[in-house]
Amino acid sequence: MKLITAEEHISTDYAHQAISDYLKTLPNDPKEMQAFGKSFAEGLVAYAVDPEVMSDIDEKRLNYMDANGIDMQILSYGDASTNPDMLPAEQAIALSQKINETIVNAVKRHPDRYLGFATLPVSEPAAAAKELKRAVEKLGLKGALILGTDRDNQFLDAPKFMPIFEMAAQLDVPLYIHPSMPSKTIRDNYYSNMNPIGFNAIMSTPGWGWHMEAGLHVTRLILSGLFDKLPNLKLISGHWGEFVPYFLERLDEATTPVVGNPLKHPVSYYYKKNIYVTPSGMFTWPQMQLVLTEMGADHVIWAQDYPYVTGNAADFLSGTPISDKDKEKIAHGNIEKLLKLK
C-alpha cells in the first residue's frame, strides 16, 4: 500500500542560530526563563530529538522511510520552539523564505520521495500571503503549515490574517494548522505548580495545552464565518483534529441558537466539508474510530509527526478494521486529491 505522510518536520541550524541570537537581545526574567527551561528539559524527554536527525533531509531520513513503509513525506518546518515568526518582521520574512528554499531543494533532490509545505511569516499577513504565492507558484510547494498564534498571541480569526486565507483559497492549497507554544500567561495560569516540575512543560505542550489551542484556532475560524466567505478553503488539523471532532455535536447544540449567529450552517457542516484530519503519529484505534464516524474516510489523511514520533507508519493503518478501499484513501488517495497530485 502506497503511503504518503503529511506532517513530517525539519529544522535547520541557521534558524536555531537566528532565533537564539534574537532572544539574547530581549529583556526577560532570568528566573522564569530558567525555571521553564528546566521544566522543559525534565518534561519533554520522550520528545527529545537529535538536531542532526531533525535537519537531515537526505540519507538518514530516506533510510528511515524505506525501513518504515513510507513512500513519500510532505516536509514542513515544525520546530515550535524556534518558529521564524518569533522574529521581527524583516528577519521573519527572510528566514521563512530561506526555510522554504531549503525544503524545495530537498524536493528537487528527491522528487519521488518528498513534497513540501511552506513556512510563513504569519505576523506579517501581507508578506505571508505574498510568500505563500511565491512558494506555491514559483517553488512548487503544496500549501503551508502555520505554527499557532502570531508573535502577539493573536488567534488566526483576527481580521488582519484574512490575506493569508484568501491567498490559500485563490491558489487552492491547504493550510495545516499546527500547535505551537502557549503564551506565558496561559502557561502560568493553567499549567504551573505541578509536581514534578516536568509536568508543567508536558501539560502545556504535547500532553494537552497546545492541542487545545490548535483546536481552538480551527473552531474560531469556523465561528468567524471564514468558510462562508471562502467556501473552497481547506485546512488540515493534526492529532485527530485537536479534540474538535469529539465535540462537534456539542458545538452545534451550543452555537446554533446563539442570538446574532451569522453562520449559514452548523459548525459541524464546515468541519466535515473544509477540514482534513490526521493522526500526527497518535496511532490509537478509539480515536481513529470516532474521527471516521464523524468525518468519514474521505477527510482523513495519514501523518506520523516524524521525527518526534517514529516507528512503522504503515503497520497501524494496515491493521485497522476498515475496508481496503478506505485504507487506500487514507494512505495516499485523499492527499493526492487534495494536493492535485493526480
Side-chain angles (χ1 to χ4, degrees):
M1 182 171 61
K2 180 180 180 181
L3 188 63
I4 300 174
T5 53
E7 186 191 327
E8 318 307 322
H9 300 306
I10 71 160
S11 187
T12 70
D13 292 340
Y14 61 76
H16 277 259
Q17 190 63 54
I19 291 167
S20 176
D21 290 345
Y22 172 67
L23 292 178
K24 290 175 183 176
T25 70
L26 298 179
N28 57 59
D29 179 346
K31 290 184 179 179
E32 193 278 331
M33 294 294 287
Q34 290 170 12
F36 193 70
K38 185 174 187 292
S39 175
F40 246 71
E42 295 184 10
L44 299 182
V45 173
Y47 294 92
V49 174
D50 184 336
E52 290 187 9
V53 173
M54 192 76 167
S55 61
D56 177 79
I57 322 179
D58 291 294
E59 184 177 1
K60 291 179 183 177
R61 185 177 294 249
L62 292 170
N63 288 341
Y64 170 84
M65 292 166 63
D66 290 341
N68 289 280
I70 301 172
D71 294 279
M72 180 173 280
Q73 286 188 346
I74 304 178
L75 304 177
S76 57
Y77 188 89
D79 189 341
S81 65
T82 57
N83 181 355
D85 200 52
M86 296 163 66
L87 297 172
E90 292 306 315
Q91 295 178 55
I93 294 167
L95 183 55
S96 296
Q97 291 172 338
K98 188 173 183 179
I99 289 170
N100 292 338
E101 285 155 11
T102 294
I103 292 174
V104 81
N105 285 336
V107 174
K108 288 178 179 178
R109 291 195 302 274
H110 308 287
D112 59 331
R113 306 305 302 274
Y114 296 143
L115 298 167
F117 285 142
T119 296
L120 303 177
V122 174
S123 293
E124 309 301 323
K130 182 178 179 180
E131 178 58 15
L132 178 59
K133 182 177 177 69
R134 182 185 84 98
V136 172
E137 294 187 341
K138 294 186 177 180
L139 300 184
L141 299 181
K142 299 300 181 180
L145 182 138
I146 295 175
L147 286 165
T149 55
D150 76 345
R151 73 172 73 94
D152 297 320
N153 296 312
Q154 293 185 85
F155 279 87
L156 295 168
D157 62 322
K160 77 173 197 176
F161 297 115
M162 191 54 129
I164 300 173
F165 297 107
E166 289 174 337
M167 182 58 69
Q170 177 184 319
L171 297 167
D172 197 18
V173 296
L175 298 176
Y176 203 125
I177 308 301
H178 188 278
S180 191
M181 193 73 68
S183 69
K184 182 180 182 301
T185 300
I186 293 293
R187 298 198 311 266
D188 289 348
N189 288 347
Y190 287 10
Y191 304 107
S192 62
N193 301 318
M194 295 185 185
N195 188 34
I197 190 173
F199 286 160
N200 293 351
I202 205 73
M203 287 303 293
S204 68
T205 51
W208 187 267
W210 67 24
H211 304 299
M212 297 295 291
E213 186 165 291
L216 187 55
H217 268 291
V218 173
T219 305
R220 288 180 63 132
L221 288 170
I222 292 172
L223 294 174
S224 75
L226 179 67
F227 296 106
D228 285 332
K229 298 170 188 169
L230 302 172
N232 75 314
L233 178 67
K234 287 98 175 173
L235 304 182
I236 304 174
S237 182
H239 306 101
W240 294 124
E242 317 286 10
F243 293 106
V244 179
Y246 315 107
F247 263 72
L248 285 178
E249 285 78 15
R250 182 67 163 180
L251 284 166
D252 286 350
E253 175 190 330
T255 60
T256 300
V258 169
V259 175
N261 180 355
L263 301 180
K264 296 178 180 178
H265 305 282
V267 169
S268 62
Y269 169 88
Y270 304 99
Y271 199 87
K272 295 176 182 183
K273 176 178 177 288
N274 297 91
I275 313 300
Y276 291 76
V277 171
T278 84
S280 304
M282 293 172 57
F283 298 144
T284 51
W285 171 242
Q287 290 171 298
M288 183 176 182
Q289 185 178 32
L290 185 142
V291 168
L292 286 171
T293 300
E294 291 285 3
M295 308 287 292
D298 288 344
H299 277 248
V300 178
I301 56 184
W302 213 238
Q304 183 167 36
D305 204 3
Y306 178 89
Y308 301 109
V309 178
T310 57
N312 194 302
D315 279 355
F316 177 83
L317 179 58
S318 298
T320 54
I322 62 177
S323 70
D324 289 344
K325 181 180 179 181
D326 284 346
K327 289 177 184 177
E328 293 286 347
K329 286 181 181 180
I330 294 167
H332 64 93
N334 292 337
I335 193 67
E336 289 172 334
K337 182 177 180 181
L338 182 61
L339 303 184
K340 297 183 285 294
L341 303 180
K342 285 189 173 181

